Amino acid sequence: MWFGRTAMLSPHTWSDESLRVLDAVTWYLAETVRRAAPGVDWQVGRSRPRNENEGQPVLVGSTGRQYEPIGDVLSWPLGRVYYLRKPNPDRPSPPPAGTDLAERFDFAVLRTTGAAP
C-alpha cells in the first residue's frame, strides 16, 4: 500500500478496510490510464529537488511529467469524503460526485500524454 505518508491517511482517520478500498480505487484509476494511453508506464518517482513523489509509484508518458495517482485521489474524491466525515464550517466541501473519477482519469491522461482522452 502507498499510504501512511500524510496525516490525512493516518490510521486514526481511516480504518484498515477503508485504506484497502482507497488503495484499490487508486490502482484501478492508474491502471486504466496506463492501458488507455499509449506509452504511459509505471516508474519510480524521481525529482530534483526531492519532493513528495520521490520513491513513489508514478505514471510517466510522452510529456515526461509524473502523475502520482495517490496524491490525485487524495486531493479530489477522497478529500471530499474526508471533509464530509470531518466538516470544516469555515470551508464547506462539496460532496463527492459520480463524475469525480472520470475527471481524474481525464486529468491523468492529459498530464502524461499532453492530449485529452
Side-chain angles (χ1 to χ4, degrees), residues 26 28-42 58-70 72-73 100-117:
T26 302
Y28 178 81
L29 171 63
E31 275 296 296
T32 303
V33 169
R34 189 184 67 79
R35 293 175 189 198
V40 172
D41 210 356
W42 288 106
V58 297
L59 293 178
V60 178
S62 59
T63 64
R65 296 177 70 194
Q66 297 178 57
Y67 169 70
E68 190 216 358
I70 187 58
D72 197 30
V73 169
D100 288 343
L101 203 52
E103 289 174 14
R104 300 330 301 157
F105 172 84
D106 292 346
F107 169 79
V109 170
L110 182 62
R111 182 170 180 88
T112 56
T113 67

Side-chain angles (χ1 to χ4, degrees), residues 1 3 11 13-25:
M1 289 177 61
F3 301 105
T13 303
W14 301 100
S15 68
D16 288 346
E17 184 59 29
S18 294
L19 290 174
R20 282 191 286 277
V21 170
L22 297 172
D23 183 60
V25 168

Side-chain angles (χ1 to χ4, degrees), residues 41-110:
D41 210 356
W42 288 106
Q43 291 186 12
V44 175
R46 302 261 188 263
S47 59
R48 299 283 183 247
R50 186 173 182 213
N51 70 13
E52 67 274 0
N53 292 348
E54 186 75 26
Q56 297 300 312
V58 297
L59 293 178
V60 178
S62 59
T63 64
R65 296 177 70 194
Q66 297 178 57
Y67 169 70
E68 190 216 358
I70 187 58
D72 197 30
V73 169
L74 273 174
S75 67
W76 193 257
L78 179 57
R80 293 180 182 207
V81 171
Y82 176 82
Y83 287 112
L84 284 178
R85 293 180 66 221
K86 298 182 182 245
N88 179 349
D90 298 329
R91 274 183 74 196
S93 179
T99 58
D100 288 343
L101 203 52
E103 289 174 14
R104 300 330 301 157
F105 172 84
D106 292 346
F107 169 79
V109 170
L110 182 62

